[in-house]
Amino acid sequence: MVNIQNLSLTFGDQTLFERINLSLHKKEWVSLLGSSGVGKSTLLRLIAGINTPGSIQGQINVEPNVRIAWLPQKDTLYPWLSIVDNVQLYAVLYGKKSSKTIEQAKLLLDKVGMFSHLHKACSQLSGGQRQRVALARTLMQNADLILLDEPFSALDAISRHQLQNLAYELLQEKSVLLVTHDPQEALRLSQRILVLRSLHPNKSATLSAPLIPTGKAPRKFDQANLWELQQHLLQTLSAKEAG
C-alpha cells in the first residue's frame, strides 16, 4: 500500500532521519516507537502528503487511489459545531452535508459509544469522549490507511485501554500506522513494531529491525513473552552508541 525507500529529511546542516525504508501492507497494524523529537510525527506528515519544511531525499510511493486519514493526539474538535457536524466535518466544510451524511455520522457515533451524548456541546465531553468523537470522524473518511499520532497518550489508564480496544475493533479492515511512546500499547495492538532512534545525540535517526509479537491482538499482558518483549523494546529505545 505504501513503500518508503531511502527517505531522509534534513533541516539546514542537521539530518533528522536518514535512509528510512518501510513498507505498509493492507490490513496490518504497525507501531512506530521513539523518543520525543526523533521525527515520528514528521514521518507521518510526509506519508500523509502534508507540506513539511526541510530537504527531502528518497521516495514515498503510495498505491493509486489509496485514501489516508489522520487521527492526532489532540482531538481538534470544533467547539462551535455539534458533535454530529464534527464527525461529518468534510461534508460540512465542502457543502455536502445531507440527510445521508447525518445518518452515517450518527451510526458511527453509535459504534464508538457516543450516541447518547449527541445533545451535548463538545465542551461538555471528557477527554476520552472527545477522542471517541475524533475516532468516529476518522472512520467517516472511509480511508484505507489510518495514521494514528499518539491519539491515546493524554487519556487516563482506563480510557486509554478502552479506546485502544475500540480502535482496534473498528480499524481491523484498515491499514494502521500508530506512533506511540508506549511499548505496552505497541505490543497490545501491533503485528509489527519498529523503533525510530538516534544512537548518538549528534547523529540522525534510523529505523530498527522489526519486532513481531505473536498471538492475536489486542493482547493481554498475562503472557510472559510480552513482558520480555517490552523489556527488549525499552532497551532498544534507550540504547546509545558505544563510547
Side-chain angles (χ1 to χ4, degrees):
M1 184 169 288
V2 176
N3 187 29
I4 300 172
Q5 296 179 325
N6 294 318
L7 183 67
S8 300
L9 178 64
T10 302
F11 299 99
D13 59 354
Q14 180 180 3
T15 300
L16 183 61
F17 51 72
E18 63 179 341
R19 297 190 299 275
I20 299 297
N21 291 284
L22 174 64
S23 293
L24 303 175
H25 309 294
K26 293 180 180 179
K27 299 184 181 181
E28 182 188 29
W29 194 301
V30 177
S31 284
L32 181 62
L33 286 161
S35 59
S36 297
V38 77
K40 304 183 303 299
S41 295
T42 301
L43 180 58
L44 256 63
R45 292 174 64 88
L46 291 174
I47 294 172
I50 298 173
N51 188 36
T52 303
S55 174
I56 301 169
Q57 293 183 321
Q59 293 183 322
I60 301 176
N61 299 309
V62 181
E63 285 187 4
N65 302 318
V66 168
R67 299 182 63 181
I68 299 175
W70 181 303
L71 181 59
Q73 179 177 352
K74 295 183 179 180
D75 53 70
T76 61
L77 300 185
Y78 290 86
W80 57 87
L81 294 179
S82 68
I83 291 175
V84 172
D85 279 353
N86 266 286
V87 173
Q88 59 170 350
L89 183 62
Y90 179 88
V92 171
L93 292 178
Y94 289 91
K96 296 182 179 181
K97 179 178 174 180
S98 65
S99 58
K100 182 179 180 180
T101 62
I102 291 171
E103 288 306 309
Q104 185 180 2
K106 289 181 177 179
L107 176 62
L108 291 172
L109 284 165
D110 189 35
K111 284 188 175 183
V112 299
M114 288 297 294
F115 192 80
S116 62
H117 300 276
L118 293 186
H119 63 286
K120 294 182 179 179
C122 292
S123 59
Q124 295 177 288
L125 302 179
S126 68
Q129 289 171 334
R130 293 174 68 92
Q131 281 299 77
R132 287 174 183 264
V133 175
L135 177 58
R137 181 170 64 190
T138 301
L139 293 168
M140 185 83 178
Q141 297 177 53
N142 195 29
D144 308 291
L145 172 62
I146 312 296
L147 304 176
L148 303 180
D149 194 358
E150 300 188 65
F152 316 124
S153 61
L155 304 178
D156 63 83
I158 298 299
S159 295
R160 183 165 63 247
H161 192 273
Q162 291 173 341
L163 264 293
Q164 287 172 356
N165 290 345
L166 180 62
Y168 191 85
E169 176 187 347
L170 296 176
L171 299 176
Q172 285 190 64
E173 299 301 311
K174 308 292 185 181
S175 299
V176 176
L177 178 58
L178 168 67
V179 160
T180 178
H181 282 103
D182 185 355
Q184 193 169 117
E185 181 171 80
L187 287 166
R188 288 197 72 236
L189 300 173
S190 308
Q191 282 76 52
R192 193 158 41 110
I193 301 171
L194 300 148
V195 178
L196 184 62
R197 58 173 182 162
S198 174
L199 293 177
H200 189 277
N202 297 320
K203 289 194 174 182
S204 53
T206 57
L207 277 181
S208 70
L211 186 150
I212 303 174
T214 59
K216 182 175 175 57
R219 301 174 185 88
K220 296 182 180 180
F221 265 74
D222 55 3
Q223 305 171 43
N225 68 310
L226 288 185
W227 292 107
E228 293 171 4
L229 290 176
Q230 178 175 270
Q231 186 62 30
H232 172 76
L233 284 173
L234 288 171
Q235 291 173 349
T236 303
L237 283 165
S238 61
K240 302 294 182 182
E241 187 178 68

